[in-house]
Amino acid sequence: VSAKQVIGVDLGGTKILAGSIDVDGRVLERHEVPTPTSSQEELLEGIVAAIEPLAGTGIGALGLGIPSVLDRSTGRALGSINIPLTDFALNDLLAERFGVPVAVENDANVAALAEWKLGAGRGADNLVLLTLGTGVGGGVVFDGALYRGWAELGHVVVVADGPPCQGTCTGRGHLEAVASGNAADRAAEKLWGEGATAELLVGRAEEGDPTALEALAGIGHLLGAAIGSFINVFSPELTVIGGGFGIAASEFLFPEAHEVAYREALEPARAGIRIVKAELGSDAGLIGAGLLAFEAIAQER
Ligand SMILES: [Zn+2]
């Protein structure tokens, strides 16, 4: 088995992005399919369909970043908020289907791995990454290592008894409920009616529309409250913001987020607050999944 190339898969709430990745983390070829969300069976078929065109000869392993809670010892997906994947050993299914080692990790942990090794967090020993996409994912690098455990940073409370969270989450006022791409969709609908989206919100902000700018600053405000709290827990050298919405809206979210985070964080951690955009953009999850696959090959040896 050649270990020059692997396949990384970024399983998102709206699309499944698969790519063949080389040892330097370069994406050589990519294939994308919409995420089937009507049933687990269709979702699994979608994952296989995303991988299949890339699974030729010379692929050494598969790595997946999935928006799910995992059993650390077995890699089994225990449950998911935004996709229909519950109590299922996706790793075993794919290892059997494609005949290569398979590594599965939480999607935001995988994005944190990529940004730390190859992106905005290069050289840092401590960082927090938040992905603002369909949901809000969190990943942490702590004392020079990716934290592989539970880091559901999107489900911290930023508005007590606030708006209900998404999917199967029963919480209220979670960061995900107020700062995800879905939350931005809802903010846009509130302003311009049904069918308005986060894209429209960001587009109008780019044109200087004051209501759009205000709505995004409001989201940035709550994002900053969460970042301030994470600084008080992890004291990161930087906070990296990724995800489709997070990257597209960064210039409108960050100024307010920075101000609030500075107010909430304690000295001396707050002195060096850095909130930066993910450098690998929407490829962070894909590339991180590839890095994970290379780790899986190394472990097999
Ligand atoms: Zn939640």
Side-chain angles (χ1 to χ4, degrees):
V1 179
S2 162
K4 286 183 182 148
Q5 268 185 48
V6 295
I7 295 176
V9 179
D10 179 12
L11 173 55
T14 48
K15 66 182 184 201
I16 306 170
L17 181 58
S20 50
I21 317 246
D22 74 8
V23 279
D24 297 319
R26 277 187 299 248
V27 182
L28 306 171
E29 209 181 325
R30 59 180 70 221
H31 184 233
E32 186 182 317
V33 301
T35 307
T37 51
S38 53
S39 71
Q40 179 161 296
E41 202 182 339
E42 284 183 30
L43 175 66
L44 297 175
E45 282 169 17
I47 294 167
V48 170
I51 296 168
E52 212 143 45
L54 303 170
T57 50
I59 293 298
L62 263 169
L64 290 95
I66 68 175
S68 309
V69 175
L70 298 163
D71 179 326
R72 317 307 317 174
S73 59
T74 62
R76 191 178 183 88
L78 298 177
S80 319
I81 300 286
N82 292 304
I83 56 165
L85 187 65
T86 306
D87 196 25
F88 188 80
L90 185 58
N91 48 346
D92 292 347
L93 174 92
L94 295 175
E96 194 169 316
R97 176 74 179 71
F98 293 103
V100 292
V102 177
V104 178
E105 180 55 79
N106 173 273
D107 58 351
N109 287 1
V110 155
L113 176 65
E115 285 294 333
W116 175 45
K117 292 282 186 188
L118 299 168
R122 281 188 306 273
D125 283 326
N126 295 280
L127 70 83
V128 166
L129 171 129
L130 297 170
T131 56
L132 315 185
T134 307
V136 173
V140 178
V141 170
F142 196 73
D143 282 349
L146 176 70
Y147 174 64
R148 303 289 289 250
W150 184 266
E152 290 293 343
L153 304 184
H155 298 274
V156 298
V157 176
V158 290
V159 184
D161 304 316
C165 202
Q166 299 183 170
T168 56
C169 181
T170 59
R172 301 189 77 99
H174 287 179
L175 183 61
E176 175 160 312
V178 297
S180 61
N182 281 2
D185 285 343
R186 288 190 293 273
E189 287 193 325
K190 215 166 146 189
L191 289 173
W192 301 301
E194 209 174 309
T197 61
E199 287 79 24
L200 181 70
L201 185 61
V202 173
R204 294 243 167 118
E206 279 163 356
E207 291 162 8
D209 181 331
T211 53
L213 290 167
E214 195 187 338
L216 287 171
I219 294 172
H221 189 93
L222 296 171
L223 175 65
I227 291 172
S229 296
F230 297 141
I231 289 171
N232 287 339
V233 178
F234 300 110
S235 185
E237 289 151 64
L238 75 168
T239 302
V240 183
I241 305 295
F245 170 65
I247 289 166
S250 59
E251 64 176 300
F252 308 111
L253 301 174
F254 286 8
E256 185 75 19
H258 193 280
E259 200 175 312
V260 177
Y262 186 84
R263 184 188 74 192
E264 301 302 339
L266 301 181
E267 289 284 13
R270 75 178 192 180
I273 287 185
R274 285 174 62 209
I275 302 172
V276 304
K277 199 160 62 163
E279 270 179 26
L280 303 173
S282 52
D283 276 347
L286 185 63
I287 292 168
L291 296 176
L292 198 69
F294 280 110
E295 278 184 17
I297 293 173
Q299 277 162 14
E300 288 261 310
R301 285 191 182 129

